[in-house]
Amino acid sequence: MIKIGIIGLGNVAWNVHLPILLARKDVKVSWACDKELNYKSALNKKNIPMFKEVDDAIKYEKCDIALISNPYYERAKTFEKIKGKFSGVYFEKPFALSMKEHEYFSSHYKNYEITIGYQRRHMGIVKTIRYIINQKIFGPLVSVKIDFGDIYYNFGGFRSEKKKSGGGIFLEGGSHWIDAVLFTTFAKDFKNFQSYKKLDNELDIEAKGSFTIIDYEDLEFNCDFYMTNLKNTSNTIKYKFQNCTVNLPLFEDDSDLRISTKSKKLIIKDDEFSNFPSKSLEVAWSYWNEFLHSYKNKINSKISAENFTLISKIIELFYGK
């Protein structure tokens, strides 16, 4: 039985992580910790104690894995309290704003003992496009374009302050899109990063730019990105191949890959099977499953710490840390 302590019980931890962990027979949620005790009575009904302070939670019961999902500005302080007291850490993103932070957090654990919550790597359509790219089913990949815009994106609470959130639209939402592109294209490096950002109260509310991806075969192709909370956009990653274009919607449940050619438009979907996993909880379950398998068997996986180096480098370049 793997014991898990939850540090930071906000919306994501409460609505995604907790239901998944409670449903698993190989995991025990030993305690939760948050400055706000909003869910204390609900957790009491499940015999899960809740604490305000991390130190008190750690003293109550020793755990194997820490789920760190508190706001960015609390991460460094939290890590100093938990390092050496857990044998694994699941960090909700953002993980780090600089490579110095990334390397510091990673240096205290083996690669397979840390993961970061870029869960969209486990979406069925993300896995499918990754396979398509690897097998060159539609010919070589020519370019990629990210288009992400949402006027309803939440910048309330701690996210309204740069010092607490770490960043705006690029960090909170855009990093998921960048990471998905790096993952699906088998990127081993990148170069020529350029970006522009529009700020409001020090937070980036609009970001656009480009960089060149270098894949595992040393092939190079361009990635353009546009992210904003000033207007709604198509919210897709557009993969342009030699023979067609494939659009991937990253933030929609039950979504499909859509192919466009000069003569027709098609949907990549089997009549009997959807691109599983296709719903948020299914994706999160799959992600946790891989991390726990990797942790228990002491083997590296596609979501082990070192596989998020490139996204941390890009975040550092964007925010100039």
Side-chain angles (χ1 to χ4, degrees):
M1 181 73 69
I2 297 173
K3 296 180 180 180
I4 296 179
I6 300 175
I7 304 171
L9 198 60
N11 288 333
V12 174
W14 178 257
N15 292 311
V16 179
H17 294 296
L18 185 61
I20 289 166
L21 295 174
L22 291 178
R24 295 188 65 102
K25 295 182 179 180
D26 58 344
V27 161
K28 174 192 174 186
V29 178
S30 296
W31 46 257
C33 174
D34 196 284
K35 289 184 176 180
E36 303 294 332
L37 300 178
N38 300 329
Y39 300 112
K40 186 171 183 177
S41 60
L43 289 177
N44 283 340
K45 294 175 182 177
K46 297 184 179 296
N47 297 315
I48 300 173
M50 189 170 186
F51 301 89
K52 268 194 171 185
E53 300 299 329
V54 177
D55 294 331
D56 294 333
I58 293 173
K59 288 177 184 176
Y60 173 78
E61 184 173 357
K62 180 179 174 58
C63 293
D64 303 298
I65 293 174
L67 166 60
I68 299 181
S69 55
N70 53 0
Y72 170 76
Y73 75 100
E74 297 177 357
R75 297 289 178 86
K77 185 178 178 181
T78 298
F79 188 76
E80 291 307 309
K81 292 184 176 184
I82 68 105
K83 69 180 183 183
K85 298 176 182 177
F86 296 80
S87 55
V89 185
Y90 186 125
F91 281 89
E92 253 306 334
K93 46 88 21 208
F95 179 57
L97 284 182
S98 69
M99 282 307 299
K100 183 179 179 180
E101 275 186 315
H102 181 110
E103 289 164 359
Y104 178 72
F105 292 150
S106 300
S107 67
H108 289 79
Y109 290 89
K110 293 182 174 63
N111 187 43
Y112 58 80
E113 292 174 339
I114 291 185
T115 193
I116 305 166
Y118 288 107
Q119 297 178 357
R120 284 164 181 80
R121 288 187 176 207
H122 268 237
M123 289 178 70
I125 56 173
V126 170
K127 292 180 179 182
T128 300
I129 193 68
R130 193 170 192 260
Y131 177 81
I132 288 170
I133 292 170
N134 185 47
Q135 298 297 313
K136 296 182 172 60
I137 292 173
F138 299 132
L141 184 61
V142 177
S143 64
V144 183
K145 184 178 180 182
I146 298 169
D147 197 21
F148 168 51
D150 187 352
I151 61 173
Y152 301 107
Y153 207 84
N154 182 15
F155 281 105
F158 74 88
R159 291 185 178 88
S160 64
E161 298 180 47
K162 171 69 164 56
K163 184 179 179 180
K164 292 185 175 182
S165 65
I169 192 72
F170 187 87
L171 185 67
E172 281 296 320
S175 59
H176 279 293
W177 296 78
I178 299 286
D179 181 72
V181 167
L182 295 171
F183 178 66
T184 54
T185 59
F186 295 84
K188 72 173 186 180
D189 205 352
F190 68 91
K191 62 182 182 180
N192 304 326
F193 183 85
Q194 302 176 54
S195 65
Y196 157 83
K197 49 184 171 287
K198 184 174 183 178
L199 302 178
D200 181 26
N201 193 30
E202 297 186 301
L203 290 170
D204 45 292
I205 57 174
E206 188 169 64
K208 58 183 176 181
S210 65
F211 57 96
T212 302
I213 293 173
I214 305 167
D215 73 5
Y216 69 102
E217 293 182 325
D218 290 322
L219 299 175
E220 299 182 7
F221 41 88
N222 196 61
C223 175
D224 293 309
F225 62 86
Y226 176 66
M227 302 157 187
T228 181
N229 74 326
L230 299 178
K231 61 182 180 180
N232 293 326
T233 68
S234 64
N235 285 338
T236 58
I237 302 175
K238 182 179 290 185
Y239 296 86
K240 185 177 180 182
F241 295 91
Q242 185 179 62
N243 299 313
C244 69
T245 298
V246 178
N247 291 323
L248 184 154
L250 196 64
F251 275 27
E252 297 177 15
D253 281 1
D254 296 317
S255 53
D256 301 303
L257 295 172
R258 299 180 180 272
I259 307 174
S260 298
T261 66
K262 292 181 179 179
S263 59
K264 61 179 69 175
K265 293 185 178 181
L266 303 168
I267 296 176
I268 302 177
K269 183 175 181 180
D270 190 279
D271 289 337
E272 297 181 25
F273 304 102
S274 62
N275 288 294
F276 181 82
S278 60
K279 298 182 185 297
S280 299
L281 282 176
E282 294 169 354
V283 172
W285 174 282
S286 175
Y287 203 87
W288 264 106
N289 201 56
E290 180 170 341
F291 175 52
L292 291 171
H293 175 79
S294 176
Y295 171 84
K296 285 188 287 188
N297 292 283
K298 300 182 179 181
I299 54 174
N300 295 332
S301 76
K302 297 183 184 70
I303 61 170
S304 296
E306 67 179 6
N307 292 309
F308 298 98
T309 302
L310 292 184
I311 184 60
S312 290
K313 286 182 177 180
I314 286 177
I315 289 172
E316 179 178 50
L317 286 171
F318 182 82
Y319 288 105
K321 290 292 181 179

